[in-house]
């Protein structure tokens, strides 16, 4: 395949990557690495590779990885523009890539303004490469607003409002213009720290949160280990309480039996006294029976005494 054919495949993958296809971004990165080996120092290959690196940085979750990929991508883009400053495609790739980067961390909005202004000055060639002039003008106004150039942003959006026929887009532009009302033409926006320090701080926060999660996992594991011991202790305590309740019941039963025994004592004494009184009667009857003749005793048993 020729350079143009290979670059056409990469261009289609790049467009899919811009729409959010991560697999297309990875495939384009591999193709560009090989293309740059075959055609070293080619500005167009370097520009697309720089744009792909910006998309890879977008998909990374680690702040340090994002910083590394974004910085490498911007270096390639700047190198490509320096080698071919009048190439519309290279300017478009760098401008769109820089527009996606937050001004708060990278301070590349002036690069966006430079590239977009160059592209709008080449208005007759924009349709050839498929660049929408309206979108370019809208994003240029947004870039002006980011750095406090409210007057230039208002000029871009006012011009678009007069040219567009889309009612929804016109309503959006009116809202943007309304947000600029009462603001100075040039507003001073406080500069932020360098992206390195900001992303390092983010990385430190990420590491800190990871450590906290690790500590929480460890404490949860320790709690799970201690939980069986707690259960055993609770069971032992429950058994102790149960035995105490049983002992108390036994004590109460013993006390009751003692009280009953105490009540029975006088009854036993009374019955003993009665038994003692009956003893002489029995002795008398025995003596009497012994003195009576057998016939008399038999009649007494049969008919009783008279």
């Amino acid at each position: 395949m020729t350079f143009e054919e290979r670059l056409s495949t990469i261009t289609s993958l790049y467009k899919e990557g811009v729409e959010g296809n991560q697999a297309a971004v990875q495939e384009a990165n591999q193709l560009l690495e090989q293309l740059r080996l075959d055609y070293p120092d080619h500005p167009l290959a370097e520009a697309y590779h720089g744009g792909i690196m910006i998309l890879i940085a977008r998909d990374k979750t680690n702040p340090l990885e994002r910083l590394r990929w974004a910085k490498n991508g911007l270096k390639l883009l700047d190198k490509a523009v320096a080698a071919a400053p009048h190439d519309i495609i290279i300017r478009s790739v760098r401008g769109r890539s820089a527009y996606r980067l937050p001004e708060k961390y990278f301070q590349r909005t002036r690069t966006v303004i430079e590239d977009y202004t160059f592209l709008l000055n080449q208005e007759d060639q924009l349709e050839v490469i498929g660049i929408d002039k309206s979108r370019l003008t809208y994003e240029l106004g947004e870039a002006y607003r980011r750095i406090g150039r409210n007057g230039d942003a208002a000029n871009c959006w006012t011009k678009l409002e007069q040219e567009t026929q889309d009612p929804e887009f016109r309503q959006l532009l009116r809202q943007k213009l309304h947000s600029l009302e009462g603001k100075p033409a040039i507003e001073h926006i406080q500069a932020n720290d360098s992206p390195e320090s900001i992303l390092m701080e983010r990385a430190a926060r990420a590491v800190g949160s990871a450590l906290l999660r690790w500590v929480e996992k460890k404490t949860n594991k320790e709690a799970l280990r201690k939980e069986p011991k707690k259960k055993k202790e609770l069971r032992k305590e429950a058994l102790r309480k149960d035995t105490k309740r049983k002992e108390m019941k036994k004590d109460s039963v013993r006390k009751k039996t003692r009280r009953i025994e105490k009540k029975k004592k006088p009854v036993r004494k009374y019955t003993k006294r009665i038994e003692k009184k009956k003893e002489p009667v029995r002795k008398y009857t025995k003596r009497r029976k012994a003195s009576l003749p057998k016939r008399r005793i038999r009649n007494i048993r049969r008919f009783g005494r008279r």
Side-chain angles (χ1 to χ4, degrees):
M1 293 177 67
T2 62
F3 176 83
E4 287 75 15
E5 289 173 343
R6 292 166 71 179
L7 191 65
S8 176
T9 304
I10 290 166
T11 304
S12 61
L13 290 171
Y14 174 77
K15 290 178 181 177
E16 291 179 14
V18 170
E19 297 298 325
N21 190 341
Q22 296 184 19
V25 172
Q26 295 299 327
E27 186 179 353
N29 183 44
Q30 294 175 2
L31 293 175
L32 281 163
E33 285 177 353
Q34 187 61 44
L35 185 66
R36 287 181 62 203
L37 287 173
D38 297 338
Y39 298 90
D41 297 328
H42 196 291
L44 205 55
E46 288 179 342
Y48 272 110
H49 202 184
I52 287 293
M53 286 182 177
I54 300 294
L55 294 177
I56 292 172
R58 175 199 65 186
D59 299 331
K60 293 290 181 182
T61 56
N62 188 344
L64 293 177
E65 288 291 317
R66 282 184 176 179
L67 175 63
R68 183 170 66 84
W69 281 98
K71 285 184 71 175
N72 292 336
L74 288 170
K75 282 181 183 178
L76 281 178
L77 287 165
D78 291 340
K79 183 181 176 182
V81 171
H86 300 291
D87 192 304
I88 296 176
I89 296 175
I90 292 174
R91 288 285 189 137
S92 172
V93 173
R94 188 179 76 162
R96 294 297 304 278
S97 298
Y99 181 79
R100 295 187 194 96
L101 296 173
E103 174 66 14
K104 183 178 180 181
Y105 303 127
F106 292 93
Q107 291 87 41
R108 293 303 295 250
T109 302
R110 286 176 175 79
T111 303
V112 178
I113 293 170
E114 178 188 343
D115 292 339
Y116 279 18
T117 304
F118 173 83
L119 292 170
L120 288 170
N121 290 333
Q122 310 293 326
E123 186 177 349
D124 54 342
Q125 300 182 32
L126 293 179
E127 293 182 1
V128 177
I129 60 174
I131 296 176
D132 187 2
K133 179 188 171 184
S134 298
R135 181 175 181 178
L136 207 64
T137 306
Y138 175 81
E139 291 181 355
L140 178 60
E142 185 64 30
Y144 279 129
R145 186 199 62 78
R146 287 178 187 175
I147 60 172
R149 293 173 62 175
N150 299 323
D152 294 329
N155 291 334
C156 291
W157 291 336
T158 302
K159 183 180 177 181
L160 267 180
E161 186 188 6
Q162 294 171 356
E163 293 176 355
T164 186
Q165 301 296 324
D166 187 355
E168 293 182 0
F169 188 41
R170 186 176 295 169
Q171 182 65 26
L172 175 63
L173 291 168
R174 285 174 183 172
Q175 290 176 1
K176 288 287 185 181
L177 289 168
H178 182 70
S179 66
L180 295 177
E181 288 180 1
K183 292 184 177 181
I186 297 175
E187 183 180 2
H188 175 69
I189 296 176
Q190 188 176 0
N192 296 288
D193 296 334
S194 63
E196 290 87 351
S197 61
I198 293 167
L199 291 178
M200 283 294 289
E201 183 182 354
R202 282 189 169 189
R205 289 177 185 172
V207 171
S209 61
L211 284 173
L212 286 173
R213 287 194 294 271
W214 180 78
V215 170
E216 285 178 0
K217 285 181 181 179
K218 284 286 183 184
T219 52
N220 289 335
K221 285 181 181 178
E222 289 295 328
L224 288 171
R225 287 175 186 172
K226 291 178 181 179
E227 192 173 356
K229 294 181 181 179
K230 288 182 179 178
K231 285 183 178 178
K232 287 181 181 178
E233 289 177 359
L234 290 171
R235 285 175 185 173
K236 287 181 180 179
E237 189 66 26
L239 287 170
R240 287 171 191 167
K241 289 180 179 178
D242 193 23
T243 51
K244 282 183 180 179
R245 284 196 296 270
K246 287 179 180 179
E247 290 293 329
M248 289 175 69
K249 284 182 179 179
K250 286 180 180 179
D251 289 338
S252 63
V253 170
R254 286 169 188 166
K255 288 178 180 179
K256 284 180 181 179
T257 52
R258 285 173 187 173
R259 287 197 297 270
I260 292 166
E261 290 293 328
K262 284 180 180 180
K263 288 180 179 179
K264 284 182 177 180
K265 279 182 180 180
V267 175
R268 286 172 184 170
K269 289 178 181 178
Y270 177 74
T271 52
K272 283 180 180 180
R273 286 197 299 270
I274 292 170
E275 290 293 329
K276 285 179 180 180
K277 286 180 180 179
K278 284 182 178 181
E279 281 180 3
V281 176
R282 287 171 185 167
K283 289 178 181 179
Y284 174 76
T285 53
K286 283 180 181 180
R287 288 195 303 269
R288 184 75 182 271
K289 284 179 181 179
S291 61
L292 290 173
K294 290 181 181 179
R295 188 177 177 182
R296 179 69 174 162
I297 292 167
R298 189 170 58 249
N299 292 330
I300 289 170
R301 285 177 182 171
R302 186 182 294 179
F303 303 108
R305 288 180 180 273
R306 291 182 183 177

